[in-house]
């Protein structure tokens, strides 16, 4: 799969969009994964226009790394906008079994419509989609492991596509749809960089860690204090220096190695060592 170093150029986006449009013709249901730590910034906006008329599920993936009370609020937020929703941890497999229930709920109306038109036993076809690194492959593997047998190609119907038959009622496209992130807003770019979804080299880690600290000291000061034994009630640059001090990050001449402290902070955040943290709050109208 594409890694954290995935770089988007206009050509990539056009190709991804075209693939998405093609795949959408084949499916009834889109299972979109977002990162539970940034459920807004990791959601692709354009898919809403492309997905017109399809059943929609949003899975808050990596819920093991995010704040559980915020997960609830985000589920409510997306549910109020017509999505079927669930929080999951694809890596450990938590809640994966419940995805099938949500799929059934999301497809109930479609199945009833089919039945009225005399179409019975036609499996629902679904596609997993999301921006790079949200956990699409991990999810497909985990979800598929629960039931599975590959159906193989179905020439004439969907040439070249592989479907994973998950039950008599559901088939999943085995390659996920890669969506492109939103780039127009610098804040969104920052948040994608916080979670490691876009290349670090674009933004220097020191700048990134100071931005992260601005947020953490407001919403999760205790996480900084507990992990680094540093008072969070200071300007972010002093907190970063405090982290360098408490972690013994020193350069050869004895001065603090701020870059190293920044890397430690970012790594601790990304791996969940800093605690369960959500970087965005839903805005209900
Ligand atoms: P993608 O297909 O959407 O690009 O994402 P992919 O499945 O490759 O997952 C990207 C990274 O996110 C992987 O980590 C994967 O293990 C991790 N991941 C996926 N789902 C979850 C989850 O629910 N919780 C947590 N904590 N992590 C998740 P990696 O560092 O690239 O590899 P590795 O750590 O598995 O070796």
């Amino acid at each position: 799969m594409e890694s954290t170093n995935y770089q988007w150029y206009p050509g990539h986006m056009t190709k991804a969009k075209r693939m998405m449009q093609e795949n959408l013709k084949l499916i009834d249901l889109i299972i979109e994964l977002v990162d539970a730590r940034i459920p807004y910034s990791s959601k692709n906006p354009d898919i809403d226009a492309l997905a017109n008329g399809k059943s929609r599920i949003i899975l808050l993936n990596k819920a093991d790394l995010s704040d559980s009370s915020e997960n609830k609020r985000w589920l409510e937020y997306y549910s109020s906008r017509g999505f079927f929703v669930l929080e999951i941890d694809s890596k450990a497999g938590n809640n994966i079994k419940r995805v099938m229930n949500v799929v059934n709920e999301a497809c109930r109306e479609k199945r009833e419509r089919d039945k009225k038109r005399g179409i019975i036993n036609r499996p629902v076809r679904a596609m997993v989609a999301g921006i790079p690194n949200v956990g699409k492959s991990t999810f497909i593997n985990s979800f598929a492991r629960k039931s599975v047998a590959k159906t193989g190609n179905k020439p004439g119907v969907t040439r070249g596509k592989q479907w994973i038959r998950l039950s008599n009622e559901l088939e999943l496209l085995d390659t996920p749809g890669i969506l492109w992130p939103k780039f127009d807003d610098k804040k969104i770019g920052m948040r994608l960089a916080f979670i490691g979804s876009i290349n670090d080299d674009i933004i220097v880690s020191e700048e990134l860690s100071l931005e992260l600290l601005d947020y953490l000291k407001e919403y999760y000061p205790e996480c900084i204090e507990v992990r680094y034994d540093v008072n969070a009630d200071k300007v972010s640059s002093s907190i970063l220096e405090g982290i360098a001090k408490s972690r013994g990050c020193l350069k050869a001449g004895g001065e603090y190695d701020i870059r190293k402290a920044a890397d430690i902070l970012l790594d601790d955040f990304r791996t969940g060592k800093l605690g369960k943290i959500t970087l965005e709050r839903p805005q209900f109208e």
Side-chain angles (χ1 to χ4, degrees):
M1 277 313 299
E2 319 303 338
S3 73
T4 44
N5 294 323
Y6 200 93
Q7 301 267 10
W8 289 95
Y9 297 106
H12 282 141
M13 278 176 63
T14 311
K15 193 169 164 228
K17 205 164 183 167
R18 205 180 305 128
M19 288 273 289
M20 186 58 57
Q21 275 164 328
E22 243 173 64
N23 286 337
L24 282 169
K25 287 185 205 148
L26 309 172
I27 56 136
D28 312 294
L29 169 70
I30 304 172
I31 302 174
E32 187 179 359
L33 264 69
V34 298
D35 190 304
R37 294 166 296 176
I38 50 168
Y40 171 74
S41 293
S42 60
K43 171 147 180 28
N44 172 284
D46 301 333
I47 192 173
D48 292 340
L50 298 177
N52 199 8
K54 308 280 175 189
S55 300
R56 307 283 300 275
I57 293 176
I58 288 192
L59 299 177
L60 292 188
N61 192 39
K62 309 200 185 184
D64 53 310
L65 299 174
S66 62
D67 182 338
S68 60
S69 57
E70 291 306 319
N71 293 347
K72 283 197 191 77
R73 298 184 65 229
W74 277 105
L75 292 177
E76 207 182 300
Y77 173 86
Y78 280 125
S79 167
S80 73
R81 274 158 178 73
F83 295 96
F84 291 86
V85 294
L86 189 68
E87 61 183 281
I88 56 167
D89 165 3
S90 297
K91 201 168 175 178
N94 286 334
N95 246 2
I96 296 292
K97 279 192 179 150
R98 289 177 59 196
V99 175
M100 197 59 101
N101 301 343
V102 180
V103 167
N104 287 333
E105 260 180 72
C107 296
R108 187 172 299 137
E109 268 183 38
K110 189 202 150 2
R111 287 198 178 115
E112 277 165 15
R113 267 200 319 271
D114 278 359
K115 214 164 142 190
K116 276 192 195 133
R117 290 157 59 199
I119 305 168
I120 33 172
N121 295 336
R122 189 175 87 69
V124 165
R125 288 193 150 176
M127 174 179 59
V128 172
I131 65 169
N133 223 31
V134 284
K136 297 179 293 299
S137 304
T138 312
F139 168 72
I140 290 176
N141 287 334
S142 175
F143 190 38
R145 228 178 291 128
K146 306 287 167 190
S147 5
V148 206
K150 260 190 190 172
T151 56
N153 286 352
K154 293 195 168 172
V157 186
T158 54
R159 207 149 10 118
K161 299 281 176 194
Q162 289 274 333
W163 296 89
I164 306 166
R165 176 164 282 230
L166 292 172
S167 71
N168 287 337
E169 296 179 330
L170 179 67
E171 288 181 357
L172 192 67
L173 197 57
D174 84 338
T175 35
I178 299 168
L179 296 170
W180 49 100
K182 308 173 243 212
F183 291 111
D184 36 353
D185 183 338
K186 184 168 182 248
K187 268 199 191 129
I188 291 177
M190 277 283 178
R191 289 172 193 160
L192 290 165
F194 290 154
I195 65 163
S197 205
I198 59 173
N199 194 349
D200 269 358
D201 300 345
I202 301 169
I203 309 163
V204 289
S205 64
E206 201 178 319
E207 187 193 339
L208 200 59
S209 67
L210 289 174
E211 291 271 348
L212 181 60
L213 280 171
D214 284 347
Y215 183 88
L216 294 177
K217 70 184 187 191
E218 187 177 346
Y219 290 94
Y220 300 96
E222 68 289 353
C223 292
I224 303 171
E225 287 168 356
V226 168
R227 178 120 188 117
Y228 306 113
D229 196 20
V230 173
N231 181 357
D233 192 17
K234 296 196 269 192
V235 292
S236 296
S237 54
S238 304
I239 299 174
L240 197 54
E241 201 178 296
I243 294 173
K245 200 170 167 184
S246 84
R247 286 297 139 113
C249 306
L250 293 173
K251 287 187 189 166
E255 96 198 67
Y256 291 125
D257 190 341
I258 297 300
R259 169 85 201 251
K260 197 165 172 198
D263 288 341
I264 289 175
L265 175 75
L266 290 170
D267 190 64
D268 284 352
F269 166 72
R270 286 172 186 159
T271 52
K273 292 191 194 98
L274 210 50
K276 293 179 187 291
I277 290 169
T278 303
L279 297 174
E280 294 176 327
R281 301 288 176 265
Q283 308 270 316
F284 292 95
E285 276 108 42

